[in-house]
Amino acid sequence: MPPIVRVLLALLLVLLLAFGAIAAFVWFGPIPVSNKKVMLDFMLGRGIETPSEATIATKLRAPNGFSVNLYAGDLPLARWMRFTGTGDLIVSRTRAGEVVLLERDRNGDGKSDGVRTLLSELDKPHGIDIRDGWLWIAETTAVGRIRFDEAAGDVSGDYQRIITGLTGNGLHLTRTIRFGPDGSLFLTQGSTCNVCVEEDPRRGTMMRFNSDGSAGEIYATGLRNSVGFDWAPWDGALYATDNGRDLLGDDFPPDELNRIEQGGFYGWPFVNGFGALDPEWGSGNEQKAAIAASPVHGFRAHNAPLGIHFVRQARVPAGFERAALVSLHGSWNRTTLDGYKVVSLHWQDDGTIEERDFLTGFLGPDGIIGRPSDVAEGPDGAFYIADDYGGAIYRVSFGGT
């Protein structure tokens, strides 16, 4: 047998053994897993078929006055979204290594008119934003940009990696970027682990850069995995979702919504939720825990809040004047399923936040038909929900239009 063939066979065997070990751990391991198939699909980077129109009509539910339809399907691993100024929708397909453009709905049927690939062969592209004629993309170890013509809906020239040297080891390999109201570029990086003290001080943080990607600095720390963030339109405050640690039981710790302040420390890994010392890292770190900012809202444990979007110009009924939508990706480290929906958060006059169901039905008696990952607001006044498991973008509109 030629040496090259032996090498290839050896590599194939290693891959098969690795995937076999992953499968065995998920199916027979000691850690509680909400749904073994969903967990294995997530680890292997695969999804399911997009639900049919009939399934959507009978299972997905929104508040009274809102209607739900499939805006685009057959988009496996569709993860993060950003609308262009002309109404096209850019979507990152993180595990597929692609960024695609969904053409706007010109004929008024409530569906995208087509899909085009803008970039491929990227390193887990996730966060995306548009500024000054550039399309910015956050990959695992870099942030890049390419010239983007919003009118034509197309890119041109070379793709330039502007921010480089981000670490890509361990867990939580997605990076989220957004340009803030001050023009700065904000970047979040999740932790390498479930719970640990990081070697790279940039992990488990939010960073801030100049608008050209220069002069990076750590903006806030103690954020285990803050995937989504947005600014409240009524006062400009910055809020970020955060996924709490695993392996402390079904109902602890809560996942978090944090109000982010420059220089703020938000607890991880020394404290969980509303001031509870971590059983592994809290002892001896009481002083650090004492200065940790508590979340402004707690989600149910292991619900995995990802995308957050504050309502701005969408057509909505009364009660959404100060509100945000949050996608709950759904549990894995739990004996029973939880999450798998979109919720609305409503800021009350006394400063408290009320959580309500907004789009449900992804989880039902017959199983899971999707995992919401991001929320965007379209120029048509509707909300758009990305589902990276069902490979779909849903449109939720008020008034039945």
Side-chain angles (χ1 to χ4, degrees):
M1 182 182 298
I4 185 62
V5 175
R6 288 199 297 270
V7 171
L8 292 174
L9 288 175
L11 288 173
L12 179 61
L13 179 60
V14 168
L15 289 173
L16 289 173
L17 289 174
F19 285 132
I22 291 172
F25 179 81
V26 171
W27 284 95
F28 304 110
I31 298 174
V33 176
S34 301
N35 186 293
K36 294 177 179 179
K37 180 183 183 304
V38 171
M39 183 59 181
L40 190 58
D41 286 342
F42 174 76
M43 296 177 75
L44 299 180
R46 66 190 186 192
I48 58 175
E49 289 186 5
T50 300
S52 67
E53 296 278 7
T55 297
I56 294 167
T58 56
K59 293 191 174 182
L60 294 189
R61 290 290 177 266
N64 288 338
F66 287 91
S67 60
V68 185
N69 72 276
L70 181 66
Y71 184 69
D74 299 322
L75 285 172
L77 311 173
R79 178 77 174 190
W80 218 247
M81 301 179 290
R82 185 68 66 234
F83 271 99
T84 72
T86 56
D88 296 324
L89 182 60
I90 300 178
V91 181
S92 62
R93 298 181 58 230
T94 301
R95 295 196 174 211
E98 291 185 350
V99 173
V100 302
L101 181 139
L102 302 182
E103 296 178 359
R104 56 190 177 277
D105 173 22
R106 296 180 179 87
N107 58 13
D109 65 353
K111 299 182 182 298
S112 166
D113 286 357
V115 57
R116 292 185 279 114
T117 299
L118 296 179
L119 291 166
S120 59
E121 299 182 1
L122 299 175
D123 179 16
K124 297 181 180 63
H126 187 258
I128 45 183
D129 212 344
I130 303 167
R131 183 177 175 85
D132 297 334
W134 296 95
L135 171 62
W136 291 75
I137 301 169
E139 303 177 79
T140 292
T141 59
V143 176
R145 68 181 185 180
I146 190 170
R147 280 295 180 187
F148 179 64
D149 184 336
E150 293 192 64
D154 207 356
V155 295
S156 62
D158 295 331
Y159 178 67
Q160 310 167 10
R161 288 184 170 91
I162 303 299
I163 301 171
T164 59
L166 305 177
T167 49
N169 57 310
L171 303 176
H172 305 139
L173 300 182
T174 61
R175 310 285 177 256
T176 307
I177 54 170
R178 288 287 300 274
F179 282 97
D182 65 351
S184 299
L185 178 65
F186 289 77
L187 164 70
T188 53
Q189 304 182 89
S191 66
T192 63
C193 57
N194 177 38
V195 56
C196 65
V197 174
E198 298 284 0
E199 294 183 5
D200 181 349
R202 300 171 298 176
R203 298 300 290 268
T205 73
M206 175 181 285
M207 299 185 68
R208 183 176 67 177
F209 298 80
N210 290 338
S211 60
D212 61 357
S214 64
E217 61 177 348
I218 294 176
Y219 190 79
T221 59
L223 299 167
R224 180 178 175 271
N225 189 31
S226 287
V227 179
F229 56 94
D230 194 12
W231 288 262
W234 59 86
D235 64 3
L238 172 58
Y239 292 87
T241 60
D242 197 24
N243 293 181
R245 64 160 293 182
D246 296 309
L247 309 181
L248 292 181
D250 279 0
D251 301 311
F252 184 81
D255 288 333
E256 300 177 2
L257 178 72
N258 291 300
R259 178 168 173 156
I260 306 298
E261 303 284 355
Q262 185 173 8
F265 170 63
Y266 295 88
W268 184 84
F270 309 115
V271 63
N272 298 296
F274 297 87
L277 288 175
D278 188 83
E280 296 177 57
W281 291 94
S283 179
N285 290 293
E286 288 83 359
Q287 288 185 334
K288 292 182 179 179
I291 65 171
S294 289
V296 296
H297 177 71
F299 300 96
R300 288 170 59 86
H302 314 303
N303 274 204
L306 298 183
I308 178 172
H309 175 79
F310 280 95
V311 178
R312 290 176 170 84
Q313 302 296 324
R315 184 182 178 192
V316 291
F320 282 80
E321 292 82 8
R322 297 201 304 170
L325 301 187
V326 178
S327 57
L328 303 183
H329 204 222
S331 61
W332 75 265
N333 176 219
R334 209 172 187 280
T335 53
T336 56
L337 295 163
D338 202 3
Y340 300 93
K341 59 185 176 181
V342 177
V343 297
S344 57
L345 302 181
H346 302 260
W347 273 249
Q348 307 298 304
D349 291 339
D350 62 0
T352 60
I353 298 173
E354 178 184 343
E355 179 179 329
R356 307 173 191 167
D357 284 349
F358 183 78
L359 185 62
T360 61
F362 294 99
L363 167 63
D366 299 329
I368 297 167
I369 64 170
R371 305 186 74 186
S373 55
D374 193 22
V375 183
E377 186 177 310
D380 59 348
F383 297 111
Y384 291 75
I385 314 297
D387 168 11
D388 64 350
Y389 192 49
I393 307 295
Y394 297 98
R395 179 177 181 270
V396 184
S397 57
F398 182 67
T401 57

